[in-house]
Amino acid sequence: MKITARSLQIALGSIFLVLGGWTLLLPGVVEQLVLSPEYYAGTRTSALLIGCFGAQAVLCGTVIVASRFTPRTFLVFGLVGSIPFFGFNYYFVFVEPVFNRWMLIDFIGNLGILACGVRGWQLLRAEQPR
């Protein structure tokens, strides 16, 4: 199967839709799984706040899948949608351990965002006339 820019765009959107959907629909499960015990609240308010992150990710994934990407769009989503979050994940897992190692699921998602963005950028750039 040949990887196309469109299939990478769908994969990119799917990362947001799957992780965001999980966070939106099961915020209490996500909170309990990824937060260190001393930061776990388990309240309706904490579930609401975590669910808001999921809703934003679902919106982002929907926009990604429904849009027409250019090489620049892929590059921006790949870099801006992953690199700042690598720093976030590192800091809040290893320096100030608000999250436990389960938060590495997000890190894996960010690797996928970076890979889809960079590869999609390469594919669409190669298709453009020089």
Side-chain angles (χ1 to χ4, degrees):
M1 179 175 130
K2 182 179 176 186
I3 295 177
T4 65
R6 180 68 185 153
S7 65
L8 287 169
Q9 184 176 339
I10 291 169
L12 178 62
S14 296
I15 294 167
F16 285 90
L17 289 168
V18 169
L19 293 177
W22 179 33
T23 304
L24 175 62
L25 296 174
L26 299 168
V29 171
V30 172
E31 179 183 13
Q32 189 173 20
L33 185 64
V34 303
L35 285 171
S36 298
E38 57 271 20
Y39 291 97
Y40 174 74
T43 66
R44 292 178 71 183
T45 302
S46 62
L48 171 72
L49 295 173
I50 289 172
C52 287
F53 284 103
Q56 288 177 325
V58 168
L59 173 62
C60 187
T62 302
V63 169
I64 289 169
V65 170
S67 298
R68 183 180 305 251
F69 272 29
T70 66
R72 181 182 299 169
T73 313
F74 267 112
L75 191 60
V76 168
F77 261 102
L79 298 178
V80 176
S82 65
I83 292 174
F85 295 96
F86 290 136
F88 176 88
N89 290 152
Y90 176 80
Y91 185 82
F92 287 109
V93 171
F94 299 108
V95 177
E96 181 68 35
V98 172
F99 300 108
N100 59 39
R101 306 238 187 229
W102 279 104
M103 188 61 174
L104 295 176
I105 294 170
D106 188 62
F107 175 79
I108 293 166
N110 293 329
L111 282 176
I113 291 166
L114 178 61
C116 288
V118 170
R119 186 65 182 132
W121 171 72
Q122 290 171 333
L123 287 174
L124 283 184
R125 235 180 89 219
E127 291 176 9
Q128 291 183 338
R130 303 253 179 223

